[in-house]
Amino acid sequence: MGAAAFLYGAVCYAIFLVTFLYAIGFVGNLLVPKSIDSAPPGTLPAALLVDLLLLGLFAVQHSAMARQGFKQWWTGIVPKSVERSTYVLISSLLLALLFWKWQPIAGAVWSVEAPAARGALWALFCAGWLIVLSSTFMINHFDLFGLRQVYLRLKNQPYRPLPFGKVALYRFVRHPIMLGFLIAFWATPDMSWGHLLFAAATTGYIFIGIWLEERDLRRAHGEDYERYRREAGMLLPIPGRRS
C-alpha cells in the first residue's frame, strides 16, 4: 500500500501544482482560457449568488478539514498517510470549480493608466505570488502538500510532525503565505467589481483562517507560540522587535 499511497500523493500534488499556476493566470487575467474578468458578465444578482457560493464552499472545506477534530474523525476513514494529500486534492478541485463557474461582474473600480504605476502594480502582483511559493519552502513545502507523508509511508517509516521553528520570513511575520496572497489579490492595475468581490471575500476568509489556525497553534505549542506572537507580527513585522 506504500507505493499506492505515494502514487496517489504524487497525483494530488500534480493537480495542486496545475491549479496553483492557473490561479495566477485567473487572478491576473493572464494566459488562461477563463479568468476573473474574461467571460461575458451575467446579471448582478446571479453573479453575486454564484460567486459567493463558490467562495463560501471553498472556505468551509479549507477551514473545516484543517481542524484537528475533523482530522481525528477523517483518519478513521482514510489512512493517515494520505490525509494531507486528500485535503490538498479536494481544495484544488474546489478551486478548479471556482475558476470554471466564476461569474464576472463588469465595471471598473479603478484602472491605472500611468505606465510606471502599472508596472509597479504588476511587480507587486508577481512579488505576492513569489512570497506565497517561497514561504512554503521556508517551512516544509513537501510536508505542507502531503508528499513527505506519502514518501515516509513508501519507506515504511513513521511520520513525525515538524518541530516548531522560525526561519527566514517567519522570523518577522507569522503568516507570510497569507501576506503573499493578500498582495497578489489586491495588486492590480485594473480592478473590476468582480475582482474586488474576490479580493474582499478572500481577505475576510484569510483573517478568519488565521484566527482558527492560531488557536490550534496555541494549543499545540503553548508558551512557545505565545512568545512567538509577541515577537513577530501577524502579517507585518513589529517595529523594533526581532524574533
Side-chain angles (χ1 to χ4, degrees):
M1 294 301 294
F6 183 78
L7 179 61
Y8 173 75
V11 170
C12 293
Y13 180 78
I15 292 172
F16 149 75
L17 194 59
V18 171
T19 306
F20 178 79
L21 293 173
Y22 195 100
I24 298 173
F26 178 81
V27 176
N29 291 301
L30 300 168
L31 303 177
V32 296
K34 182 180 179 183
S35 68
I36 201 166
D37 294 321
S38 65
T43 63
L44 180 60
L48 283 173
L49 178 62
V50 170
D51 294 346
L52 289 174
L53 281 174
L54 291 168
L55 288 163
L57 184 62
F58 174 79
V60 169
Q61 173 271 327
H62 203 254
S63 287
M65 290 189 70
R67 306 281 67 81
Q68 290 302 317
F70 182 90
K71 289 181 181 181
Q72 291 174 3
W73 171 79
W74 185 232
T75 50
I77 300 173
V78 302
K80 288 185 178 181
S81 59
V82 300
E83 177 271 325
R84 187 68 186 180
S85 293
T86 304
Y87 173 79
V88 170
L89 174 63
I90 296 175
S91 298
S92 300
L93 293 177
L94 286 176
L95 275 179
L97 176 65
L98 186 149
F99 301 152
W100 178 32
K101 291 298 185 182
W102 179 263
Q103 301 294 304
I105 300 175
V109 180
W110 70 69
S111 183
V112 177
E113 300 296 336
R118 289 185 69 87
L121 286 168
W122 279 121
L124 269 177
F125 174 82
C126 295
W129 290 106
L130 183 60
I131 291 170
V132 171
L133 184 60
S134 61
S135 296
T136 67
F137 287 96
M138 293 172 196
I139 38 178
N140 189 309
H141 177 88
F142 302 106
D143 187 90
L144 185 63
F145 295 106
L147 285 179
R148 177 171 172 259
Q149 292 86 328
V150 294
Y151 175 76
L152 291 173
R153 177 67 182 87
L154 177 66
K155 303 294 287 185
N156 202 27
Q157 296 176 6
Y159 174 78
R160 293 183 178 85
L162 297 171
F164 177 68
K166 299 169 282 187
V167 295
L169 288 178
Y170 285 89
R171 296 174 57 209
F172 308 102
V173 293
R174 303 194 300 275
H175 302 279
I177 295 175
M178 299 307 169
L179 172 62
F181 276 129
L182 289 172
I183 294 171
F185 293 162
W186 286 97
T188 175
D190 301 298
M191 177 67 81
S192 68
W193 286 106
H195 192 151
L196 180 65
L197 173 66
F198 179 89
T202 51
T203 297
Y205 168 65
I206 282 171
F207 281 100
I208 293 171
I210 287 174
W211 178 78
L212 291 169
E213 182 181 4
E214 294 212 326
R215 184 184 63 179
D216 291 345
L217 289 169
R218 288 197 301 269
R219 290 172 179 170
H221 300 289
E223 181 55 32
D224 285 343
Y225 195 78
E226 292 292 349
R227 187 182 307 111
Y228 179 48
R229 293 182 72 218
R230 295 191 292 269
E231 294 170 345
M234 181 173 68
L235 292 168
L236 296 173
I238 300 175
R241 296 187 186 183
R242 183 175 178 182
S243 179

